[in-house]
């Protein structure tokens, strides 16, 4: 691909080695979460949310468990100002939730922001100005000292206005475009702001280090974060926050490695909605921790309902392969995958395991309100016998014998292949019934009557073959053997009854039984199934069905 020569690595490594995060194996504690769906998420929508939709989304975020929620940039537009006032005036902000508002380091914007907060019990005022080399040179045309002074003056104004505010005000500062800023200079600016805010352990300052644009591999970002965490002034009184974007597709990795490197807080959105390629996906982050046995604090146990509301108010679509949330993320179409999952689920249940370790399923689908039968084993032309058998068993109580599964599997897959579609559990049941259960062509069982004489069973059968009725008397060592002998002698058939299985059919409201029979002529083995309230009748229907599959 031509043109690569014009690109260069626009990030800066820390001036000292910062790789302690490498020694940490996993995240052992959830960070402080801050949703920015109502700001970053909303501003990225083609059609921004209405006031009512924002209120509905805010309530969802509260329900999920967010304790810090950025609600907008009230000085930037009347719409965002109105939303903030609605939350305050209608008393929609729970006492344990802190709202966050964004402001540039410009006096008139800061003043309007505080005015918009009048009557708010508790808020974070998020101050930012851009510090990157590209922004300093190309946009602002200012020196390092001048850019730092913008941050310092903005911080001073926040302190002054907060002293006059009636509500409880917390501060946050972002050196915007941090990833394109020299780390030692970013540290200098942040330390200057810390000197102004004078945070304490009881009233911490949030220093937010955004990947405004992803510019490096995640390990570089982690080293930058570790450098800031190690050398920042008054660190015990500072909450280091991350705000990763996803330009390089590694927003989640940036956040995870950043937490290992010392970050305390994450700003992100549901499903990663955000400008350009999006913000970091909080759901993926939280459930990654969950699958490592760490409480993420946030509650995504009803993920389908969250998706439904999200798609409704944002008019965005959750991608089918979105981690944890997508329509197909738990689905297995591959035969070998289906077989492993099916056996794993049975093993898990049979052994009453307290821990989750089912092959191909890093998360128990039921933990996010998904169902095994509808979401895990999906049937198409790539599916295997194990998956198809699993669908029939879990949905309809049909425990197909192992030796019969290959035949049933090929029959079902052939339909999917010819119709070029995925099959629902109902489709699979229909195909099974139409091809194997209680078949009546060409042979139809009309009546049968048994007489037992010691260990011998005699039977009188009445049958039709292509509509022509015949009656016949025969005997055998058991009822099914007697019926089989009668059919063979009556129609001069030369098959061998090779397999027989039966079980109670517990999935139905009435007491029924299912039987499975195979018969063989030469190398050709065919299967049939019978379902009836009487197990003898079910077994006879299964035999007749197997014979019909030989001669159809």
């Amino acid at each position: 691909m031509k043109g690569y020569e014009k690109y260069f690595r626009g990030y800066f490594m820390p001036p000292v080695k910062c790789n302690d995060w490498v020694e940490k194996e996993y995240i052992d504690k959830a960070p402080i979460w801050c949703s920015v769906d109502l700001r970053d998420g909303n501003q990225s929508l083609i059609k921004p949310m209405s006031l009512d939709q924002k209120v509905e989304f805010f309530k969802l975020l509260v329900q999920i468990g967010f304790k810090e929620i950025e609600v907008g940039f009230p000085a930037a537009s009347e719409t965002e100002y109105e939303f903030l006032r609605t939350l305050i005036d209608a008393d929609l902000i729970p006492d344990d939730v802190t709202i966050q508002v964004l402001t540039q380091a410009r006096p008139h914007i800061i003043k309007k922001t505080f005015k918009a907060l009048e009557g708010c019990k508790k808020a974070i005022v998020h101050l930012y100005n851009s510090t990157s080399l590209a922004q300093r040179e190309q946009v602002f045309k200012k020196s390092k000292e001048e850019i730092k002074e913008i941050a310092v003056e903005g911080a001073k104004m926040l302190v002054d206005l907060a002293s006059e505010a009636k509500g409880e005000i917390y501060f946050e500062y972002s050196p915007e475009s941090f990833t394109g800023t020299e780390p030692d200079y970013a540290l200098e600016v942040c330390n200057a702001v810390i000197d102004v805010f004078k945070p304490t352990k009881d009233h911490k300052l949030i220093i937010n280090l955004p990947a405004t644009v992803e510019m490096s591999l995640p390990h570089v970002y982690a080293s930058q974060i570790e450098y800031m965490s190690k050398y920042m002034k008054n660190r015990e009184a500072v909450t280091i926050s991350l705000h990763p974007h996803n330009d390089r597709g590694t927003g989640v990795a940036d956040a995870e490695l950043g937490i290992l490197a010392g970050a305390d807080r994450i700003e992100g959105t549901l499903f990663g909605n955000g400008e350009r390629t999006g913000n970091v996906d909080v759901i993926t982050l939280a459930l990654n921790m969950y699958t490592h046995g760490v409480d993420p604090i946030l509650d995504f146990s009803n993920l389908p309902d969250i998706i439904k509301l999200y798609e409704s108010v944002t008019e965005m679509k959750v991608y089918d392969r979105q981690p944890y949330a997508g329509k197909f993320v738990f689905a297995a179409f591959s035969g070998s995958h289906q077989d492993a999952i099916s056996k794993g689920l049975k093993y898990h249940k049979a052994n009453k395991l307290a821990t989750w370790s089912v092959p191909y399923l890093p998360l128990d689908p039921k933990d996010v309100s998904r169902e095994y039968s509808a979401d895990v084993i999906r049937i198409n032309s790539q599916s295997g016998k194990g998956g198809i058998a699993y669908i029939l068993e879990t949905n309809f109580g049909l425990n197909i014998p192992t030796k019969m599964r290959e035949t049933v599997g090929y029959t079902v897959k052939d339909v999917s292949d010819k119709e070029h579609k995925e099959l629902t559990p109902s489709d699979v049941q229909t195909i099974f019934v139409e091809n194997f259960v209680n078949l009546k062509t060409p042979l139809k069982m009309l009546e049968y009557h048994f007489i037992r004489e010691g260990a011998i069973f005699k039977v009188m059968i009445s049958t039709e073959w292509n509509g022509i009725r015949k009656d016949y008397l025969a005997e055998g060592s058991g009822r099914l053997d007697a019926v089989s002998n009668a059919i063979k002698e009556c129609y001069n058939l030369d098959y061998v009854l090779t397999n027989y299985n039966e079980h109670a059919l517990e999935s139905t409201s009435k007491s029924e039984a299912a039987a499975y029979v195979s018969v063989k002529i030469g190398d050709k083995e065919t299967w049939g199934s019978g379902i009836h309230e009487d197990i003898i009748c079910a077994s006879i229907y299964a035999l007749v069905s197997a014979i019909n599959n030989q001669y159809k």
Side-chain angles (χ1 to χ4, degrees):
M1 184 172 173
K2 295 180 179 179
Y4 66 89
E5 301 92 344
K6 71 182 179 184
Y7 294 99
F8 65 97
R9 292 176 290 280
Y11 59 85
F12 301 89
M13 290 298 291
V16 296
K17 187 176 180 180
C18 292
N19 293 332
D20 290 351
W21 59 269
V22 176
E23 301 298 325
K24 298 178 182 178
E25 181 186 347
Y26 65 97
I27 296 169
D28 58 8
K29 179 183 178 183
I32 300 166
W33 300 105
C34 178
S35 162
V36 292
D37 291 88
L38 296 167
R39 169 55 188 173
D40 281 40
N42 186 58
Q43 75 176 3
S44 71
L45 300 176
I46 296 172
K47 179 183 175 183
M49 288 180 275
S50 67
L51 176 61
D52 288 343
Q53 288 173 326
K54 282 186 175 182
V55 170
E56 189 175 12
F57 205 152
F58 178 82
K59 290 179 179 178
L60 172 66
L61 296 170
V62 170
Q63 181 182 335
I64 289 170
F66 285 98
K67 300 305 179 186
E68 295 182 4
I69 302 172
E70 188 169 271
V71 297
F73 196 147
S77 73
E78 190 59 33
T79 301
E80 299 208 8
Y81 180 90
E82 182 185 7
F83 174 52
L84 174 57
R85 290 311 313 168
T86 297
L87 293 178
I88 296 170
D89 296 338
D91 197 22
L92 296 176
I93 307 169
D95 290 341
D96 63 344
V97 172
T98 304
I99 60 166
Q100 180 171 301
V101 292
L102 199 63
T103 179
Q104 293 173 327
R106 300 169 65 184
H108 71 285
I109 293 178
I110 294 173
K111 288 178 181 178
K112 189 172 181 180
T113 300
F114 273 88
K115 184 172 179 58
L117 284 170
E118 288 179 0
C120 184
K121 299 173 185 176
K122 189 166 51 175
I124 298 167
V125 179
H126 183 180
L127 175 76
Y128 74 93
N129 69 305
S130 196
T131 59
S132 70
L133 176 62
Q135 293 265 13
R136 295 195 314 263
E137 290 182 345
Q138 301 173 36
V139 180
F140 301 109
K141 296 181 171 57
K142 292 183 181 294
S143 67
K144 287 183 175 180
E145 281 301 317
E146 289 173 311
I147 293 295
K148 182 173 70 173
E149 188 61 22
I150 292 173
V152 169
E153 290 303 313
K156 288 178 180 177
M157 193 167 187
L158 257 63
V159 171
D160 290 341
L161 291 173
S163 67
E164 301 171 4
K166 293 182 180 179
E168 190 174 356
I169 302 295
Y170 292 87
F171 303 119
E172 176 174 353
Y173 172 71
S174 288
E176 199 217 351
S177 61
F178 167 76
T179 45
T181 304
E182 307 89 329
D184 52 346
Y185 175 61
L187 181 66
E188 181 184 335
V189 175
C190 290
N191 281 339
V193 168
I194 290 170
D195 285 340
V196 175
F197 284 124
K198 295 181 173 58
T200 66
K201 290 181 181 180
D202 297 327
H203 200 282
K204 291 187 175 184
L205 166 68
I206 300 168
I207 293 290
N208 189 52
L209 303 173
T212 307
V213 177
E214 275 194 315
M215 303 180 77
S216 69
L217 296 176
H219 75 283
V220 172
Y221 186 57
S223 295
Q224 293 168 338
I225 300 306
E226 184 174 311
Y227 172 75
M228 298 293 286
S229 179
K230 279 184 173 180
Y231 297 101
M232 190 172 289
K233 280 186 178 180
N234 203 3
R235 178 64 179 91
E236 69 279 2
V238 174
T239 296
I240 290 185
S241 176
L242 307 182
H243 184 112
H245 281 231
N246 200 42
D247 302 87
R248 293 172 57 90
T250 58
V252 169
D254 283 341
E256 291 181 323
L257 297 189
I259 292 171
L260 295 182
D264 311 297
R265 182 178 184 265
I266 295 291
E267 295 186 348
T269 61
L270 302 186
F271 309 108
N273 179 40
E275 54 190 309
R276 305 187 308 279
T277 55
N279 286 43
V280 67
D281 177 13
V282 168
I283 294 175
T284 299
L285 273 174
L287 293 179
N288 281 355
M289 296 176 200
Y290 183 75
T291 58
H292 276 178
V294 176
D295 184 357
I297 307 302
L298 301 177
D299 182 2
F300 295 112
S301 60
N302 199 347
L303 204 46
D305 281 356
I306 293 172
I307 294 169
K308 184 177 180 181
L309 190 147
Y310 168 84
E311 292 186 334
S312 171
V313 300
T314 65
E315 298 184 18
M316 297 284 283
K317 177 75 172 65
V318 174
Y319 175 48
D320 287 342
R321 302 292 180 186
Q322 180 85 8
Y324 301 110
K327 180 180 179 182
F328 295 129
V329 296
F330 298 114
F333 292 100
S334 160
S336 60
H337 289 199
Q338 290 176 343
D339 185 58
I341 291 171
S342 175
K343 289 175 179 175
L345 291 172
K346 287 182 179 179
Y347 181 86
H348 194 273
K349 183 177 180 180
N351 291 276
K352 299 179 181 179
L353 299 181
T355 55
W356 182 258
S357 60
V358 175
Y360 298 109
L361 294 179
L363 174 73
D364 184 348
K366 289 189 175 180
D367 287 348
V368 289
S369 297
R370 300 282 290 271
E371 295 297 326
Y372 301 142
S373 57
D375 294 307
V376 177
I377 305 295
R378 307 286 290 257
I379 304 302
N380 64 12
S381 60
Q382 305 302 309
S383 301
K385 58 185 179 182
I388 292 166
Y390 178 83
I391 288 291
L392 290 170
E393 181 176 2
T394 56
N395 287 272
F396 309 107
L398 295 162
N399 188 6
I400 309 300
T402 301
K403 293 182 179 180
M404 184 183 185
R405 292 180 182 183
E406 185 171 1
T407 301
V408 175
Y410 280 124
T411 303
V412 172
K413 289 196 294 181
D414 186 58
V415 173
S416 176
D417 192 30
K418 289 177 179 177
E419 297 186 6
H420 303 289
K421 70 173 187 177
E422 181 188 355
L423 303 177
T424 66
S426 179
D427 292 333
V428 174
Q429 182 200 31
T430 298
I431 294 167
F432 178 73
V433 169
E434 289 178 350
N435 287 274
F436 297 98
V437 180
N438 299 357
L439 303 183
K440 298 177 181 178
T441 304
L443 176 64
K444 182 179 180 180
M445 179 63 66
L446 301 176
E447 294 181 56
Y448 55 86
H449 302 282
F450 292 104
I451 298 174
R452 183 169 183 172
E453 295 181 355
I456 301 298
F457 287 86
K458 292 185 177 182
V459 66
M460 171 63 74
I461 62 169
S462 296
T463 60
E464 287 182 357
W465 190 285
N466 289 329
I468 299 174
R469 177 170 176 150
K470 285 188 178 182
D471 299 326
Y472 200 86
L473 177 67
E475 63 182 39
S477 58
R479 290 183 174 86
L480 187 61
D481 183 53
V483 171
S484 179
N485 290 337
I487 292 173
K488 285 194 284 187
E489 294 170 18
C490 180
Y491 293 103
N492 194 28
L493 304 180
D494 187 24
Y495 65 80
V496 178
L497 198 158
T498 48
N499 290 282
Y500 174 76
N501 298 82
E502 65 179 49
H503 66 81
L505 199 58
E506 298 176 356
S507 67
T508 58
S509 57
K510 57 184 179 179
S511 176
E512 288 187 315
Y516 311 90
V517 168
S518 68
V519 298
K520 193 172 185 179
I521 299 177
D523 293 331
K524 183 182 178 183
E525 186 173 48
T526 56
W527 284 87
S529 176
I531 296 177
H532 196 272
E533 293 177 13
D534 178 68
I535 187 58
I536 300 300
C537 189
S539 63
I540 292 171
Y541 284 171
L543 171 64
V544 171
S545 296
I547 293 170
N548 282 329
N549 277 331
Q550 276 282 350
Y551 293 96
K552 64 181 178 181

